[in-house]
Amino acid sequence: MSRTKTSTYEGFTAEERAAMKEHAQEVKKASRRTSRAEKAAEAERDLLAKIAEMPDADRVIAERVHAIVTANAPMLAPKLWYGMPAYALDGKVVCFFQSADKFKTRYSTLGFNDLAKLDDGAMWPTHFALAEVTAEVEERIAELVRRAVG
């Protein structure tokens, strides 16, 4: 019995392939670092450099997210994850910022992985669209980050 093809899967997009290559480079670079302090300092420098490369609209949001996360969850270690700014606990990513430019989307996002303690019943959001960072948005991000690690 033959199957007919109903969709046209073309594999990963160029942006997805680039993110995977970035992740492989991040892992390789991290393995060459020696001390824990050196790893942390270099990882944060890499993250800040990645933010600085972003288009202005994404960069402004990413800088605010970075400031909010580091102020409200200092136990999270900044690092790059698939070329995106991310924040990890014991080496595992809890939350991350994805710029709109990264995957050519309409808005940036703040995402939380399964380690984030955001559970709320049988269903809850794990990604949040960020069009701008107002005072209200800053407080919401701070509250989410505190809950994620709490």
Side-chain angles (χ1 to χ4, degrees):
M1 181 182 282
S2 68
R3 292 184 184 180
T4 59
K5 197 172 187 178
T6 59
S7 67
T8 56
Y9 176 72
E10 295 181 21
F12 295 107
T13 66
E15 293 82 10
E16 290 167 331
R17 284 190 303 277
M20 288 185 281
K21 286 179 183 178
E22 283 183 286
H23 183 61
Q25 291 170 346
E26 293 157 11
V27 170
K28 187 175 180 179
K29 187 174 183 179
S31 70
R32 290 192 304 254
R33 297 176 185 144
T34 55
S35 72
R36 180 177 281 224
E38 178 184 293
K39 287 179 183 183
E42 191 168 343
E44 185 161 19
R45 280 193 303 272
D46 292 346
L47 179 142
L48 293 173
K50 183 60 75 174
I51 290 173
E53 294 172 2
M54 292 178 184
D56 289 345
D58 290 338
R59 183 185 45 75
V60 168
I61 295 171
E63 288 171 345
R64 291 304 310 137
V65 167
H66 177 70
I68 295 164
V69 171
T70 56
N72 288 276
M75 71 289 296
L76 293 180
K79 66 182 277 179
L80 288 178
W81 186 59
Y82 293 94
M84 297 178 287
Y87 304 87
L89 186 61
D90 299 325
K92 297 181 180 187
V93 172
V94 174
C95 62
F96 58 92
F97 175 81
Q98 181 179 304
S99 73
D101 187 63
K102 178 87 175 161
F103 293 105
K104 311 297 183 237
T105 58
R106 176 165 76 91
Y107 47 78
S108 297
T109 58
L110 175 64
F112 293 87
N113 284 341
D114 61 331
L115 294 175
K117 299 172 184 170
L118 299 178
D119 303 39
D120 184 18
M123 184 174 138
W124 58 91
T126 60
H127 289 71
F128 298 83
L130 291 171
E132 67 177 306
V133 180
T134 64
E136 183 180 323
V137 170
E138 281 190 24
E139 185 48 45
R140 180 72 173 131
I141 293 170
E143 187 268 328
L144 285 166
V145 169
R146 288 190 300 265
R147 270 186 50 209
V149 296

